[in-house]
Every structure is written in C-alpha cells, then in structure tokens.
Amino acid sequence: MTKEWSSLPELIELAKNDPSVLERADAELRDSEELLETVAIYSADALEYASDRLRSKKDFMLAVSQYTIRALAFASPELLQDPDFMMRVIYFDYEAMQYASEELRSNRDFLIKAIDYKPQLLRYASDYWKADKAMVLRSVERKGSVLRYVNPHLCQDREVVMGAVKNSGSAIVHASEDFRNDFEVVLEAVKSDGRALEFASEELRATRAIVLAAVHQNGLALRFACADLKRDAEVALEAAANTALAFREVNEHLQQDKDFVTAAVLQNTRVLEYVGKDFRNDPEVVLASLQNSSTGMAYATKHLQDDRSFVLKAVTLNPGACKYITQALQRDRWVLLRAARAALTWAEPVTFPPSSQQLVQDPGFKAAVACCLALEGDDAPALETSVERIPIGTSSSAESVPGGG
C-alpha cells in the first residue's frame, strides 16, 4: 500500500481536513503529542485514533481540552473520575462537567466544589443529589434558575423555592403551580426580577403591592399587571420612572393626561420619547423634562428646537440643551450667553456643540459672560444688545461692555 504522506507536516495537513486518515498511521505516530494536539485543535475526533497513553495523560488532555471540551469524549475513564483533573477542565469550561464519571457526579465533596464555582453544575449531579435539600439549597441560593434541574418534589418545598426566587425571580416558573398564588413567594420573586409578574396568578397580578414592587424593579413588568392597575397613576408613574418604555403600557387615559405626563418626564426624561407629539411640542412638558437631563430637548419637536424664545428658557434651565437645538440657534450669541451663564453654576461640565465652539471660546464672548454675573432683571435687554456688538475674535474685557463691571 502506498503511503499517503511522506512527512509529519504533510500528515498533519491531511488530518486537519480528515482526522480518519490517522487510522492508517502507525502506533508511533498515534502516540505523537505534537501530531495529535495540532490536529485536535481542528477536530476533537482526531483523538479517537490517539494512543491509550495519550488519552490517559493528564497534561496532554488538559491542553487539548482547552481548545474543545469535546476532547473529553475520548479521555480515559481514569481521567474522567479524577477530581483534580475534572475541576481543572471545568475551570476552562464548566460544561465539561457532563463528561465527569458517574462516580464523580455522585461524590459530595466534588459536587460542593463544582457547585460553589458554578451553581448550574447541579444539572449534571446524580439524581440522588438533585433530591438532596441541602445540596439543592446550596445551588439555588446562588443561582435560582437551577431550580429547573432539581427533583420535582423539592419544587414543592417552600424554603427551596424562596431561596431560588430571591436571586432569580423568574425561577418561579419552575416551582409548583401553588406558589404562583403565594403572596410572599411572588413578592420576593418580583423584587428580584419584576418580569416574574408574568408568572404570578391572576389574583396577584391585580394586587397593588405586588405590582408596585414589580414595576419598581422593572418598569416593563407593567404589561403583566391587570387593566385597573395600569390606570393607577402611582403604579404607572413608578413604572415609567424605572423604564421610559413602560409608558407604552400605561392606560391610554393617563397617556393623554398632561399632569401625569409632566410628572413622568420629571421622574424620567426619556419618557418624552414615547409621549404623543402634542406633549413633545408643549413648552411646559419639555421644560419639565429638562430638569433631569438635557436629552429632553432631543425629544422635543423641531418646532420647539427652533423657537428662540423657548430655547432661551430651555438653555437657562439646562445649558446642555444647546446640543439639541437648531444650528442657527447654536450660533445665536444671546442663546449661548444664557447657556454659558447657566453653565457656570451647573453641577456637571457642559459641552457645547461644535457649531457653538468658535463663539464660546472667543475672549470677548467670555467677557460678556462675566458681565452676566453682575446684571439682573431690567438690565438683561441692554446686555443682549451689548453681546451682539462683540465681534468674534476680539479680546474685549468686561469694562468694554456697557453695564459691566
């Protein structure tokens, strides 16, 4: 029979594409760590043709398992029941647990070590330990979703279920149906994950305390509340304050109520993104949204973004709103002066848009801003006239501006 390869590198290249070629290699080649490790990177199936020595060699199998845990399908039985070896592989990829021997998956000490590293490894434990309350509690109290893997009998155990939902509210879906109508269990579940309200009984989805706790954790939980609570202004406001998108779940009557909308944008500026156009064009509503964030101006209508009288009020209230007004107003000296004056006492640094930078950085403009500190009330119109006279690029001082000093 003619050899298909003339050198080790040639064999490696052949085996990368078709590992079965190794079946025709001699015993010495099948015992070559260089050959088998290189080929196994491309296909773990190559290990089917490895020598027994290599499949039992801890360092070699650790090395190839880093590339793919499927390499463990070809490891020797002795390695798969070696706790040290298996834990080291599990640290690379915890799904390696599925290859552990039955003996290891029934070993309490090994399981505790594995579960403390990744609680979901209870999935691969023997049935005995999936029915052991102490072991199950150890797992679900770290990761509630593990409840899906435990013995059905323990899914009816209140202590186990409470332990699970406290850190993963949605785990309630794996608990006994009775717990979906248990006030305390559902309350803990929605405190952990508001979306768990979806799995609560109809009665508890109509219970105000439960729904309030749910929307406080995740505003979108409002979609699972009963219709009456979607009309409850306090519940709806709590939901919108948590998640702006929850405004879409609010009762239509509240969505059209200006007082409610104003309260909502005061709590969460982004709510303005989801309200009707009439409210996005309402100066009072938009100004309310600016009290928390300048992005409220981004959601205002183009009409308001280009309304000079409104913009003057907006940048005085929140100088960051400059980023979202029209470019023409971004170059308006009086608008920028109002914004710059407000920025002096703003809690956070204000970044002006590129189209405003030339004027904002002008020494003469900065001098005018300094004058603002001394001017109040009736002097404001005179100040506007003074600022308009300042040429860009001058080094005007405060003394050169009428009324300054």
Side-chain angles (χ1 to χ4, degrees), residues 126-382:
S126 66
D127 290 343
Y128 174 84
W129 290 111
K130 288 179 182 178
D132 181 83
K133 184 173 178 177
M135 186 68 77
V136 167
L137 276 172
R138 190 182 193 100
S139 302
V140 299
E141 286 176 351
R142 289 169 171 79
K143 192 172 183 67
S145 59
V146 173
L147 191 63
R148 75 181 70 179
Y149 303 124
V150 310
N151 184 286
H153 174 72
L154 288 179
C155 290
Q156 300 174 36
D157 185 291
R158 198 167 192 277
E159 185 182 3
V160 169
V161 172
M162 283 289 274
V165 301
K166 279 184 177 180
N167 70 77
S168 180
S170 59
I172 195 170
V173 74
H174 305 297
S176 169
E177 192 76 22
D178 293 343
F179 289 116
R180 300 189 185 198
N181 197 43
D182 184 309
F183 181 91
E184 292 182 3
V185 170
V186 172
L187 183 60
E188 289 297 333
V190 298
K191 282 181 178 179
S192 171
D193 182 351
R195 296 169 299 179
L197 185 64
E198 178 181 3
F199 309 112
S201 67
E202 185 176 349
E203 178 184 344
L204 290 184
R205 283 188 279 118
T207 301
R208 198 168 186 274
I210 293 288
V211 175
L212 266 174
V215 299
H216 178 75
Q217 200 284 324
N218 187 324
L220 292 176
L222 187 63
R223 71 179 54 166
F224 306 118
C226 70
D228 284 346
L229 289 177
K230 290 183 179 182
R231 289 193 291 267
D232 185 307
E234 183 184 354
V235 171
L237 189 59
E238 184 70 33
N242 176 276
T243 310
L245 186 59
F247 184 82
R248 291 180 173 177
E249 306 296 335
V250 172
N251 175 267
E252 187 176 345
H253 174 72
L254 285 179
Q255 290 181 352
Q256 302 302 320
D257 185 306
K258 182 175 177 178
D259 289 340
F260 175 78
V261 171
T262 302
V265 299
L266 272 170
Q267 294 276 342
N268 187 342
T269 300
R270 283 202 62 194
V271 168
L272 194 61
E273 182 179 2
Y274 302 104
V275 304
K277 184 176 180 180
D278 288 347
F279 289 125
R280 290 187 288 109
N281 197 47
D282 187 309
E284 292 180 359
V285 173
V286 176
L287 286 175
S289 75
L290 291 173
Q291 292 191 37
N292 282 324
S293 170
S294 62
T295 55
M297 199 66 183
Y299 306 126
T301 60
K302 295 295 183 184
H303 172 74
L304 283 186
Q305 291 172 352
D306 195 37
D307 184 323
R308 189 172 186 269
S309 62
F310 173 75
V311 167
L312 284 168
K313 294 177 183 177
V315 298
T316 301
L317 178 63
N318 190 324
C322 275
K323 291 179 290 186
Y324 307 107
I325 60 179
T326 60
Q327 286 200 7
L329 290 179
Q330 287 176 350
R331 292 189 290 268
D332 185 300
R333 295 179 181 219
W334 186 241
V335 169
L336 287 181
L337 186 65
R338 285 282 189 90
R341 170 64 184 89
L344 293 175
T345 55
W346 198 245
E348 299 176 355
V350 175
T351 302
F352 288 89
S355 55
S356 303
Q357 288 296 328
Q358 185 180 11
L359 182 56
V360 171
Q361 296 301 322
D362 180 77
F365 181 80
K366 292 180 179 179
V369 174
C371 289
C372 286
L373 296 172
L375 293 175
E376 297 277 347
D378 293 339
D379 294 315

Side-chain angles (χ1 to χ4, degrees), residues 382-396:
L383 179 60
E384 177 173 3
T385 301
S386 301
V387 173
E388 290 298 340
R389 289 180 188 155
I390 300 175
I392 293 175
T394 67
S395 56
S396 305

Side-chain angles (χ1 to χ4, degrees), residues 31 33 51-65 74-76 78-79 85:
D31 197 45
E33 292 187 31
S51 66
D52 290 343
R53 183 188 74 85
L54 286 185
R55 290 202 235 177
S56 300
K57 189 176 180 182
K58 184 180 292 189
D59 291 343
F60 172 76
M61 291 305 297
L62 277 173
V64 294
S65 296
F74 305 101
S76 68
E78 292 76 22
L79 282 183
F85 172 80

